Amino acid sequence: MRFIAILIFSGLIFAGAARAQAIAEAGLLRHIEILASDAFEGREPGTLGENKTVHYIASQWSAAGLHPAGEKGSWYAPVSLVERTPDTYRIYFANKGRGKSVRLRPDEIILRSRSPSFRQSHMPVVFAGYADLERDGLSVTGKLVLLPRKPPEDDDMPDFRNRKLKLIRAGAVGVISVVEDQDRWSRFQRFFQRGSTALADPENHADLEGLISFEQFGKLVRQSGLDAETLLADKDAISIVDLGLNADASAETQVRSYLSHNVIGKIPGTDPKRGALLFMGHWDHFGICRIEDPLEPGKDRICNGAVDNASGISLLIETAKRLSGEGQDRDIYFLATTAEEKGLLGARAFTDNPPVALEKLIAVFNADTIALSDNGQEIAVVGPAETGLDKDIGIVAAQEGREIDRSGKADAYIKRQDGYVFLELGVPAFMISSAFADEERLKAFIDGPYHDVSDEVNDTLELTGAAADANFHVALGRYFASTARYPGIATSGEADN
Ligand SMILES: [Zn+2]
């Protein structure tokens, strides 16, 4: 008994000492300086910079006393990526009835194949619009589908990615997306031609994918007596439209497969049946992001990503140190994702193969781009207000002397961050920081150093808000990991575990 009492007592002293030690700017800066140094080469997935980055995070979490929660007892969960860059392609359309060919401008329809080479003739061409595949009688199997990128109004319509996935699962051989805004065609074209990276999941891609401009789409559908604008505006259309055309297409694509890694650690709770918490942030950035200019050989070519997102990783390291060893009730997971900049891919890989059942996650807190504000008081909550956690976040904010910006402006970023992957799956996910409450500095960052070589450690790096945010995350951890303070998910569910 006495022995136990001493243990508890020393535990209290330990917790008390750790609690007293708030996260300071200097503690965050130390990690940012290392992660955003030129030696880390801009933390591009699949490079030497990745090796250094994931090793640094794992060693920091290990020193903090976290347990590895990646694959096979390691800190790392492999993420297989595929980069596809269009090389050459050709496509011809012919009117089925009259056998007449339709001429399109070759620079306004671009294609890439899933495999290095694709060739197929006589593919029937259909327009999918916003048709409900479950209700529509017309099959898309073996067909080439034209799909508008965005719904006419922003409502509950499933987004482009999900509509496209449905068509692929239903057997579409190709999906060509329609860029509705002709003025933005060249931007989309450049972006597409630069290549894109995806998870190495063949089921997520059609054999042939591409883009078509609004004007060329208009030309194509006129062959069937249809009007492009009417088709695109009809969001209530429930039927897939047969365009009465056949297509012959070929495409050669550069396909590069490589491996990257998420880093996952865990603080085991004393009562893991009551659920788990997840703190996350992305470690990746753009690497050596400028081509060498022979006229300026020494010019900076590294996108170091100091704010985006060495700052978020520094929060995760320091938060883990504070929460580790406190003996919280719930499990607390820490996740550093790869390939966020390539489309939230590391986060998707995590949810595809999570170390803990997603239903057990009571809350996810994502830290991205936190080092902007000089205001340690105001915070914005990016995330759904209707989860029921809002009230509790408010309690922690009041306790920490933080004021929540409830203007909702920060929600403009909701789809542009890793937490969105969890939201799509119904897991409450939030991004809470001073940076997104500071509209002025956020805008200045996005218009300036964002995704540029100038996002690096220099005198302008502002860590006042970041340090306050890091301490706020420690407070969130203590609150939500405690079953007394946050009873959370119904205890009746416990019997199932
Ligand atoms: Zn970014």
Side-chain angles (χ1 to χ4, degrees), residues 251-269:
E252 304 289 323
T253 303
Q254 292 172 36
V255 180
R256 179 173 79 95
S257 300
Y258 62 102
L259 205 60
S260 187
H261 301 83
N262 286 335
V263 191
I264 314 173
K266 173 187 176 179
I267 303 171

Side-chain angles (χ1 to χ4, degrees), residues 69 135 139 144 197 203 267 292 304 345 400 408 444 458:
R135 283 165 64 190
S139 153
L144 180 64
T197 304
E203 297 191 355
I267 303 171
E292 194 161 10
N304 302 84
L345 301 179
E400 295 294 304
N458 55 33

Side-chain angles (χ1 to χ4, degrees), residues 30 88 98 130 147 161 220 255 282 284 303 306 350 360 366 422 429 468:
R30 214 157 40 87
T88 56
R98 289 172 279 159
Y130 311 100
L147 183 71
R161 185 175 168 274
L220 209 50
V255 180
H282 73 91
D284 69 303
C303 281
F350 179 90
K360 292 194 100 181
N366 185 32
F422 291 83

Side-chain angles (χ1 to χ4, degrees), residues 198-455:
L199 290 178
D201 181 351
E203 297 191 355
N204 284 346
H205 288 275
D207 290 348
L208 186 70
E209 297 188 351
L211 291 182
I212 184 169
S213 75
F214 176 76
E215 280 177 7
Q216 300 308 302
F217 170 70
K219 206 164 169 182
L220 209 50
V221 300
R222 267 200 301 279
Q223 299 298 315
S224 326
L226 296 162
D227 172 60
E229 264 177 65
T230 318
L231 276 177
L232 293 176
D234 188 4
K235 75 178 170 83
D236 297 321
I238 56 156
S239 255
I240 284 175
V241 181
D242 185 348
L243 296 179
L245 300 163
N246 273 335
D248 296 352
S250 67
E252 304 289 323
T253 303
Q254 292 172 36
V255 180
R256 179 173 79 95
S257 300
Y258 62 102
L259 205 60
S260 187
H261 301 83
N262 286 335
V263 191
I264 314 173
K266 173 187 176 179
I267 303 171
T270 55
D271 195 1
K273 284 184 177 172
R274 298 287 293 275
L277 278 186
L278 173 65
F279 288 100
M280 67 181 298
H282 73 91
W283 61 254
D284 69 303
H285 201 57
F286 290 97
I288 298 169
C289 57
R290 299 284 178 270
I291 46 169
E292 194 161 10
D293 182 350
L295 298 176
E296 289 179 273
K299 205 175 170 190
D300 187 6
R301 295 164 54 211
I302 303 174
C303 281
N304 302 84
V307 174
D308 180 12
N309 184 31
S311 69
I313 295 297
S314 74
L315 176 149
L316 294 181
I317 293 170
E318 290 300 310
T319 301
K321 280 191 202 168
R322 299 310 185 283
L323 294 173
S324 177
E326 288 191 341
Q328 306 289 355
D329 303 329
R330 294 191 171 96
D331 284 345
I332 307 177
Y333 283 85
F334 284 84
L335 163 66
T337 59
T338 180
E340 185 270 354
E341 304 285 14
K342 298 180 189 298
L344 319 182
L345 301 179
R348 286 193 206 285
F350 179 90
T351 57
D352 284 350
N353 191 15
V356 52
L358 295 180
E359 311 83 74
K360 292 194 100 181
L361 289 177
I362 58 158
V364 174
F365 299 105
N366 185 32
D368 194 350
T369 307
I370 62 161
L372 290 178
S373 179
D374 61 350
N375 180 332
Q377 201 161 28
E378 254 204 297
I379 42 174
V381 179
V382 179
E386 66 278 7
T387 54
L389 271 78
D390 210 40
K391 190 189 104 230
D392 296 275
I393 291 170
I395 293 171
V396 182
Q399 164 209 310
E400 295 294 304
R402 304 294 295 264
E403 243 169 76
I404 300 179
D405 163 12
R406 297 198 186 272
S407 68
K409 281 182 196 155
D411 274 335
Y413 296 91
I414 201 160
K415 291 188 176 182
R416 290 172 61 176
Q417 47 99 25
D418 271 343
Y420 187 66
V421 172
F422 291 83
L423 286 175
E424 278 190 309
L425 296 166
V427 181
F430 303 89
M431 187 163 71
I432 305 180
S433 87
S434 55
F436 288 84
D438 196 330
E439 221 185 326
E440 208 170 297
R441 280 169 188 267
L442 182 61
K443 191 178 180 307
F445 175 70
I446 288 175
D447 295 342
Y450 175 66
H451 291 183
D452 185 68
V453 292
S454 56
D455 179 8

